[in-house]
Amino acid sequence: MRRVKIFSGTSHPLLTESICERLGTNPSKAELKKFSNGETSVNIGCSVREQDVFIVQSGSETVNDSIMELLIMISACKGGSANKITAVMPYFPYSKQSKKKSHRGAITARMIANLLTIAGVNHVITVDLHASQMQGFFSKPVDNLYAEPLIARWVKNNVQNWKEAVVVSKNPGGTKRVTSLADALKLNFALITTDRRRANYDALSSKFHSRRHSPAESVHGDEDPNPDTFVNRQDGDIPTFVDGQSIDATGVASLAYTGSSIGPPSIELSPEPPIAIGDLSISAEVPPPASTTSTEYNYHLPPHPEDDFDDEYTDDNAREVTYGRLVQGHIVDDDYPSVPASVKDEEEEAPCHMVNSINSITSSNDHALGGTVDVNETDDEEEPGVASLTQEKMITLVGHVRDRTVLLVDDMIDRPGSWIAAAEHCVKRAGANRVYCIATHGVFGGDCLEEMEACSYIDYIIVTNSFPIPVNKINCSRKLRILDISALLSEAIRRNHHGESISALFQHFD
Amino acid sequence: MATNSIKLLTGNSHPELARLVAERLGIELTKILVLQYSNQETSITIGESVRDEDVFILQSTAPGEINDGLMELLIMINACKTASARRITAVIPNFPYARQDKKDKSRAPISAKLIANMLQVAGCNHVITMDLHASQIQGFFNVPVDKLYAEPSMLRYIRENFDWKNAVIVSPDAGGAKRATAIADRLDLYFALIHKERSRPNEVSRMVLVGDVKDKIAILVDDMADTCGTLAKAADTLKAHGAKEVVAIVTHGILSGKAIEAINGSQLSRVVVTNTVPHAEKKAMCPKLHTIDIAPTLAEACRRTHNGESVSFLFSHAPT
C-alpha cells in the first residue's frame, strides 16, 4: 500500500508483524525506549509527512506505559505532519471502567478516549469493546470490529458435535453478546446468574410454606427473603420502622416483588410510606386488612422470578432452572454448613443495589470507602473485594445443558473466579459434558490462566491474540487455543486506507 | 454541607510530602483508595464527598513509575471532576516529561505539551508546580500555572550551612546559567559556568570551565539531578581547577539509574536536593545526600490559592 506507515508499540509487536505480513509491507521504524528516570521516549524513524499512519498498540502487563507510549507516538506523528493518524487498539484499555459505578468514581474509559483525541488521533479501530456505547465517548470515528465470526468459524471447525452444544452466558450483563453468537450458530442458549441476595433459597421456600399457617407471623419475618432490602432499619439516623404496622405494610411490598416480579423492582411499591419515629400516631392508623389479602395472593406464585419468562417463552429448555450454592468460589452440596454467623452479619449490613440510593440520601455518615466497593459488584462484572470470597452466593443456571457441550462466552477473561464457578456449576450440577471458555480478549491477570488450567471442569480456553499473552504462559497451558485476529485488523486497515466500507467484516463466514 | 474548604488528595507517588503539606495546612488528607486491578489498570475510589469543594491533588513522580503515577493523577482529577468538585488544582512539584519540551529532532514528540493537554482534558483547573525545566511549559497550558521557585529555600540553606562568603556559584551547563546567576546575584557572589559538549542524552563528554574557582567552595546549582553523570564530571573539572570543596544543590533529585554510585564515587562532598521527589531509600545508601523540605512553600501556595491571595511573595521568600 502506498502512503501508508504502520507503527508498532511495544505492547504487541507480534500482532503488528502478522498484520503487516498480510498487507505485504513491513512495520515502519520507530525507536521506543525509556529514559533511566522511567519517562517514555519515542523517536519516529522515517518521514510521515502527508502519510496515512496506523499505530498498533494493545494493552500489556504495564498498561499505563502502553497508553503513554501510544499517546506520545500519536503526538509525534501529528507533529511530523501526518495526514491521518489511526490508533489500532485491538484491546481497549480501561474499557471496564466505562460507567460511574460508585460515588465519585471516574469514567476512566471516557478519559482515555479524550486523551487519544487530544493527542491528535483521527480514527480508532478496536475489537469487541466491553460496551459498544463507548463509541460515543469519542469525538472521532470508531470502528468497533467483532471477533464473533472468527469464533463462530472456530467452533464449527473444532468443536465435536457442535450442533448439540449450548451457548451459555456466565452473567446477565453479557447476555446480548452471547445470544448473538447463539443466533449465528443457531444453537440453544442458557444463562447463569450469581446472586448474593437470595443466598438461602431453600430457607426462602420453606418460609413460604410456613406462612400459609400463620400469615400474621410470617409477615413479620418478611425481611428474610430479602435480607438487604431494609438494612437501613438498623441505623438510627434514618427513617426507622419501629411500629409493627409499618413493618407489615412495607414488608408485604417486598414480598410481592420477590414472589411475582410483576411490578418494577423498587421498594416504592410500598402501600404505606415509611413511617418515622416521630409519627407513631399515624402509624397506628394504618389499616391492616389490605396487607393480609395481598400476602395470600402471593402464595400462589412460585418463589423464583425466572418463571415470569413463561409469558414470553414457550421453549421448555428455558424453564429448566438449576440452583447451586457457591461458597468461596466453588459449588458446595446442599448440606454444606452455612456461613458462620459473624460473616453473615457483615453480609446483611452490606447495602444492595436497590436500597443504595435510599442509603445515600438518608445516611449522613460517609461510608463510601467501605460501602461502595461492595456496591460496585454489578451484574456483569467482578470487582476485587475480600467480602465476595467469604460470602455465600447462589448460582442459578436457566436452561438445559445436560449431556451437552457448553460454550461459556464473555468478552474478556481477566479474573478466573466467575469462569471457574460457572464451569463447575454446569458440569457438577447441570450435568454438562464439556466446557469451552470463549472470550475475545485473554487478559489473564495474575494467576488467572494457571487457575483455569488447574480447574478440571474447564476443557478448553479460547481467546484471540488481541491482547499479548506471554510465551511462557502459552507454553504452560494445555487448554489454551489462540485465534489469530490479524486478518480482521489488516483488512480493516486496508479498507480504511482505500476508503472502502468495512461492513463486510461484520458478516459471518459461510 | 459543602464548606468549600481545602481537600488535599494524594496518590501513591509521594505520601510523605503530602503528609507534610497537610500538616502545614492543619488538615487531614482526604481518604482515598488507589489500587491496581490484576490487569494493572489503576482504580480510584474517593472516600469523602468533594462536591463544591476546593480540591488539591498532590502527585509527584517517582522514578520508574512515572506513567503509573501520571495515570493515577489523571484518574483522580477525572474522578473529582465527575464528583462535582468546584475547582481542581493539580500540585505537581516535579512536572513529568518536562525535558521533552521541544521538537529538537525531526518528528520528535513534544511530550510536555501532551501532558499539559492531558491534564486539562482530565479536568484540571489550575496547576501548581515547581522549578519547571523550561518556563515556556507554562504556555503549554490554557489554565493558570503557578510556577514556584525552590530558590528562596536554597538560599536559606546556603546561608545556614556553608561558609558562603567564600563560595562561587557554578552552573553545570549553559542552559542553567540564568538560574545560577540569579542565586549568585542574591548572595552577591561570583559566578562560573561549565560548558559541556553533549553527544547523547544522559551521556556527558568534554567540559570547559569559564570563571575562577581556585581555593573557593564551588556550589553547583541545577534544576534536576537525574543520573548525576554531569554533576560528577563537573566536580572533577572544578577540582582540577583548584576548587577547595564542591557541593551541588539541585531542585529535583530524580537520582535514577546509577546516580547513587556516581555520587558516592565522585568528588562532591555534598549533594542537596529538595523533597519534590521521594528519595528516602536513596538517602540511606548515600551519606552525601541532604534534603531541603519544600513542603512549607507548597502548603503556603495551596493556602494562598484557596484564599485568593497573591502567590508572588513566595517567589522571593521561603516560609519557615
Side-chain angles (χ1 to χ4, degrees), chain A residues 414-438:
Chain A
D414 183 1
R415 274 181 292 275
S418 60
W419 292 89
I420 291 173
E424 207 172 312
H425 187 58
C426 284
V427 175
K428 236 173 143 176
R429 285 314 195 78
N433 265 345
R434 279 177 300 171
V435 174
Y436 289 74
C437 291
I438 303 177

mmCIF file of all heavy atoms in Angstrom, chain A residues 414-438:
data_model
loop_
_atom_site.group_PDB
_atom_site.id
_atom_site.type_symbol
_atom_site.label_atom_id
_atom_site.label_comp_id
_atom_site.label_asym_id
_atom_site.label_seq_id
_atom_site.Cartn_x
_atom_site.Cartn_y
_atom_site.Cartn_z
ATOM 1 N N ASP A 414 -10.380 -12.104 32.519
ATOM 2 C CA ASP A 414 -9.440 -11.317 33.304
ATOM 3 C C ASP A 414 -9.189 -12.026 34.623
ATOM 4 O O ASP A 414 -8.094 -12.479 34.912
ATOM 5 C CB ASP A 414 -10.031 -9.919 33.498
ATOM 6 C CG ASP A 414 -9.106 -8.995 34.234
ATOM 7 O OD1 ASP A 414 -7.994 -9.439 34.573
ATOM 8 O OD2 ASP A 414 -9.476 -7.842 34.473
ATOM 9 N N ARG A 415 -10.254 -12.168 35.424
ATOM 10 C CA ARG A 415 -10.149 -12.933 36.670
ATOM 11 C C ARG A 415 -10.838 -14.269 36.486
ATOM 12 O O ARG A 415 -11.835 -14.371 35.772
ATOM 13 C CB ARG A 415 -10.787 -12.151 37.809
ATOM 14 C CG ARG A 415 -9.822 -11.177 38.450
ATOM 15 C CD ARG A 415 -10.502 -10.459 39.575
ATOM 16 N NE ARG A 415 -11.538 -9.587 39.066
ATOM 17 C CZ ARG A 415 -11.315 -8.351 38.641
ATOM 18 N NH1 ARG A 415 -10.103 -7.870 38.680
ATOM 19 N NH2 ARG A 415 -12.299 -7.609 38.205
ATOM 20 N N PRO A 416 -10.305 -15.296 37.149
ATOM 21 C CA PRO A 416 -10.812 -16.639 36.873
ATOM 22 C C PRO A 416 -12.089 -17.001 37.635
ATOM 23 O O PRO A 416 -12.815 -17.889 37.225
ATOM 24 C CB PRO A 416 -9.661 -17.524 37.335
ATOM 25 C CG PRO A 416 -8.975 -16.737 38.402
ATOM 26 C CD PRO A 416 -9.162 -15.296 38.055
ATOM 27 N N GLY A 417 -12.388 -16.335 38.748
ATOM 28 C CA GLY A 417 -13.432 -16.771 39.681
ATOM 29 C C GLY A 417 -14.748 -17.145 39.028
ATOM 30 O O GLY A 417 -15.234 -18.268 39.186
ATOM 31 N N SER A 418 -15.331 -16.205 38.261
ATOM 32 C CA SER A 418 -16.664 -16.459 37.738
ATOM 33 C C SER A 418 -16.646 -17.569 36.682
ATOM 34 O O SER A 418 -17.605 -18.308 36.551
ATOM 35 C CB SER A 418 -17.221 -15.174 37.145
ATOM 36 O OG SER A 418 -16.396 -14.725 36.105
ATOM 37 N N TRP A 419 -15.552 -17.670 35.942
ATOM 38 C CA TRP A 419 -15.462 -18.722 34.920
ATOM 39 C C TRP A 419 -15.455 -20.080 35.583
ATOM 40 O O TRP A 419 -16.143 -21.012 35.169
ATOM 41 C CB TRP A 419 -14.202 -18.553 34.075
ATOM 42 C CG TRP A 419 -14.202 -17.347 33.215
ATOM 43 C CD1 TRP A 419 -13.753 -16.105 33.556
ATOM 44 C CD2 TRP A 419 -14.699 -17.235 31.881
ATOM 45 N NE1 TRP A 419 -13.938 -15.247 32.503
ATOM 46 C CE2 TRP A 419 -14.504 -15.908 31.463
ATOM 47 C CE3 TRP A 419 -15.273 -18.145 30.994
ATOM 48 C CZ2 TRP A 419 -14.865 -15.451 30.197
ATOM 49 C CZ3 TRP A 419 -15.631 -17.690 29.730
ATOM 50 C CH2 TRP A 419 -15.431 -16.364 29.338
ATOM 51 N N ILE A 420 -14.622 -20.205 36.635
ATOM 52 C CA ILE A 420 -14.498 -21.500 37.305
ATOM 53 C C ILE A 420 -15.827 -21.873 37.949
ATOM 54 O O ILE A 420 -16.302 -23.008 37.818
ATOM 55 C CB ILE A 420 -13.348 -21.446 38.330
ATOM 56 C CG1 ILE A 420 -12.019 -21.354 37.580
ATOM 57 C CG2 ILE A 420 -13.375 -22.649 39.248
ATOM 58 C CD1 ILE A 420 -10.812 -21.120 38.448
ATOM 59 N N ALA A 421 -16.453 -20.886 38.618
ATOM 60 C CA ALA A 421 -17.725 -21.171 39.280
ATOM 61 C C ALA A 421 -18.768 -21.591 38.254
ATOM 62 O O ALA A 421 -19.501 -22.568 38.470
ATOM 63 C CB ALA A 421 -18.193 -19.934 40.046
ATOM 64 N N ALA A 422 -18.829 -20.896 37.130
ATOM 65 C CA ALA A 422 -19.828 -21.210 36.112
ATOM 66 C C ALA A 422 -19.578 -22.593 35.519
ATOM 67 O O ALA A 422 -20.506 -23.394 35.349
ATOM 68 C CB ALA A 422 -19.814 -20.159 35.020
ATOM 69 N N ALA A 423 -18.315 -22.902 35.219
ATOM 70 C CA ALA A 423 -17.982 -24.197 34.634
ATOM 71 C C ALA A 423 -18.310 -25.315 35.610
ATOM 72 O O ALA A 423 -18.886 -26.343 35.247
ATOM 73 C CB ALA A 423 -16.503 -24.236 34.254
ATOM 74 N N GLU A 424 -17.958 -25.088 36.878
ATOM 75 C CA GLU A 424 -18.202 -26.087 37.905
ATOM 76 C C GLU A 424 -19.701 -26.357 38.021
ATOM 77 O O GLU A 424 -20.134 -27.500 38.130
ATOM 78 C CB GLU A 424 -17.642 -25.567 39.237
ATOM 79 C CG GLU A 424 -17.246 -26.657 40.196
ATOM 80 C CD GLU A 424 -16.527 -26.081 41.415
ATOM 81 O OE1 GLU A 424 -15.611 -25.258 41.208
ATOM 82 O OE2 GLU A 424 -16.897 -26.459 42.527
ATOM 83 N N HIS A 425 -20.473 -25.291 37.987
ATOM 84 C CA HIS A 425 -21.921 -25.427 38.117
ATOM 85 C C HIS A 425 -22.499 -26.193 36.929
ATOM 86 O O HIS A 425 -23.329 -27.090 37.086
ATOM 87 C CB HIS A 425 -22.560 -24.047 38.222
ATOM 88 C CG HIS A 425 -24.015 -24.075 38.530
ATOM 89 N ND1 HIS A 425 -24.503 -24.681 39.664
ATOM 90 C CD2 HIS A 425 -25.087 -23.596 37.855
ATOM 91 C CE1 HIS A 425 -25.826 -24.564 39.667
ATOM 92 N NE2 HIS A 425 -26.197 -23.907 38.587
ATOM 93 N N CYS A 426 -22.038 -25.864 35.732
ATOM 94 C CA CYS A 426 -22.552 -26.521 34.528
ATOM 95 C C CYS A 426 -22.284 -28.013 34.567
ATOM 96 O O CYS A 426 -23.126 -28.821 34.206
ATOM 97 C CB CYS A 426 -21.895 -25.942 33.273
ATOM 98 S SG CYS A 426 -22.532 -24.341 32.831
ATOM 99 N N VAL A 427 -21.080 -28.395 35.006
ATOM 100 C CA VAL A 427 -20.709 -29.812 34.971
ATOM 101 C C VAL A 427 -21.280 -30.542 36.178
ATOM 102 O O VAL A 427 -21.955 -31.563 36.058
ATOM 103 C CB VAL A 427 -19.167 -29.952 34.936
ATOM 104 C CG1 VAL A 427 -18.770 -31.407 35.035
ATOM 105 C CG2 VAL A 427 -18.631 -29.339 33.670
ATOM 106 N N LYS A 428 -21.054 -29.985 37.368
ATOM 107 C CA LYS A 428 -21.381 -30.705 38.597
ATOM 108 C C LYS A 428 -22.885 -30.777 38.817
ATOM 109 O O LYS A 428 -23.421 -31.823 39.154
ATOM 110 C CB LYS A 428 -20.757 -29.949 39.779
ATOM 111 C CG LYS A 428 -19.830 -30.801 40.637
ATOM 112 C CD LYS A 428 -19.145 -29.907 41.648
ATOM 113 C CE LYS A 428 -18.971 -30.570 42.978
ATOM 114 N NZ LYS A 428 -18.216 -29.722 43.900
ATOM 115 N N ARG A 429 -23.561 -29.668 38.649
ATOM 116 C CA ARG A 429 -24.983 -29.634 38.978
ATOM 117 C C ARG A 429 -25.870 -29.861 37.767
ATOM 118 O O ARG A 429 -26.894 -30.516 37.840
ATOM 119 C CB ARG A 429 -25.329 -28.292 39.617
ATOM 120 C CG ARG A 429 -24.865 -28.173 41.050
ATOM 121 C CD ARG A 429 -25.252 -29.442 41.778
ATOM 122 N NE ARG A 429 -25.178 -29.323 43.222
ATOM 123 C CZ ARG A 429 -26.085 -28.735 43.975
ATOM 124 N NH1 ARG A 429 -27.132 -28.198 43.410
ATOM 125 N NH2 ARG A 429 -25.951 -28.684 45.263
ATOM 126 N N ALA A 430 -25.494 -29.271 36.644
ATOM 127 C CA ALA A 430 -26.388 -29.314 35.497
ATOM 128 C C ALA A 430 -26.037 -30.427 34.522
ATOM 129 O O ALA A 430 -26.747 -30.633 33.552
ATOM 130 C CB ALA A 430 -26.373 -27.977 34.774
ATOM 131 N N GLY A 431 -24.936 -31.131 34.768
ATOM 132 C CA GLY A 431 -24.616 -32.330 34.005
ATOM 133 C C GLY A 431 -24.097 -32.101 32.610
ATOM 134 O O GLY A 431 -24.320 -32.913 31.713
ATOM 135 N N ALA A 432 -23.369 -31.033 32.395
ATOM 136 C CA ALA A 432 -22.815 -30.785 31.063
ATOM 137 C C ALA A 432 -21.644 -31.736 30.796
ATOM 138 O O ALA A 432 -20.986 -32.202 31.715
ATOM 139 C CB ALA A 432 -22.358 -29.342 30.952
ATOM 140 N N ASN A 433 -21.409 -31.983 29.519
ATOM 141 C CA ASN A 433 -20.317 -32.872 29.118
ATOM 142 C C ASN A 433 -18.956 -32.209 29.222
ATOM 143 O O ASN A 433 -18.065 -32.655 29.915
ATOM 144 C CB ASN A 433 -20.511 -33.250 27.649
ATOM 145 C CG ASN A 433 -21.224 -34.561 27.524
ATOM 146 O OD1 ASN A 433 -21.320 -35.289 28.507
ATOM 147 N ND2 ASN A 433 -21.732 -34.846 26.352
ATOM 148 N N ARG A 434 -18.824 -31.168 28.438
ATOM 149 C CA ARG A 434 -17.549 -30.455 28.345
ATOM 150 C C ARG A 434 -17.802 -28.963 28.417
ATOM 151 O O ARG A 434 -18.902 -28.514 28.091
ATOM 152 C CB ARG A 434 -16.877 -30.760 26.997
ATOM 153 C CG ARG A 434 -16.148 -32.064 26.943
ATOM 154 C CD ARG A 434 -15.610 -32.279 25.565
ATOM 155 N NE ARG A 434 -16.678 -32.310 24.572
ATOM 156 C CZ ARG A 434 -16.469 -32.319 23.266
ATOM 157 N NH1 ARG A 434 -15.251 -32.279 22.791
ATOM 158 N NH2 ARG A 434 -17.481 -32.338 22.423
ATOM 159 N N VAL A 435 -16.794 -28.230 28.838
ATOM 160 C CA VAL A 435 -16.948 -26.771 28.922
ATOM 161 C C VAL A 435 -15.835 -26.100 28.129
ATOM 162 O O VAL A 435 -14.652 -26.357 28.353
ATOM 163 C CB VAL A 435 -16.918 -26.279 30.380
ATOM 164 C CG1 VAL A 435 -16.936 -24.767 30.420
ATOM 165 C CG2 VAL A 435 -18.093 -26.843 31.156
ATOM 166 N N TYR A 436 -16.213 -25.247 27.180
ATOM 167 C CA TYR A 436 -15.271 -24.393 26.469
ATOM 168 C C TYR A 436 -15.447 -22.976 27.005
ATOM 169 O O TYR A 436 -16.562 -22.460 27.018
ATOM 170 C CB TYR A 436 -15.578 -24.369 24.966
ATOM 171 C CG TYR A 436 -15.266 -25.650 24.220
ATOM 172 C CD1 TYR A 436 -16.068 -26.765 24.356
ATOM 173 C CD2 TYR A 436 -14.170 -25.703 23.368
ATOM 174 C CE1 TYR A 436 -15.779 -27.925 23.657
ATOM 175 C CE2 TYR A 436 -13.880 -26.863 22.665
ATOM 176 C CZ TYR A 436 -14.687 -27.974 22.811
ATOM 177 O OH TYR A 436 -14.408 -29.118 22.119
ATOM 178 N N CYS A 437 -14.364 -22.360 27.457
ATOM 179 C CA CYS A 437 -14.428 -20.959 27.862
ATOM 180 C C CYS A 437 -13.962 -20.107 26.682
ATOM 181 O O CYS A 437 -12.813 -20.232 26.238
ATOM 182 C CB CYS A 437 -13.527 -20.687 29.067
ATOM 183 S SG CYS A 437 -14.142 -21.460 30.551
ATOM 184 N N ILE A 438 -14.842 -19.250 26.184
ATOM 185 C CA ILE A 438 -14.524 -18.496 24.967
ATOM 186 C C ILE A 438 -14.606 -16.998 25.244
ATOM 187 O O ILE A 438 -15.595 -16.525 25.812
ATOM 188 C CB ILE A 438 -15.515 -18.856 23.840
ATOM 189 C CG1 ILE A 438 -15.471 -20.362 23.596
ATOM 190 C CG2 ILE A 438 -15.207 -18.087 22.573
ATOM 191 C CD1 ILE A 438 -16.452 -20.846 22.561
#
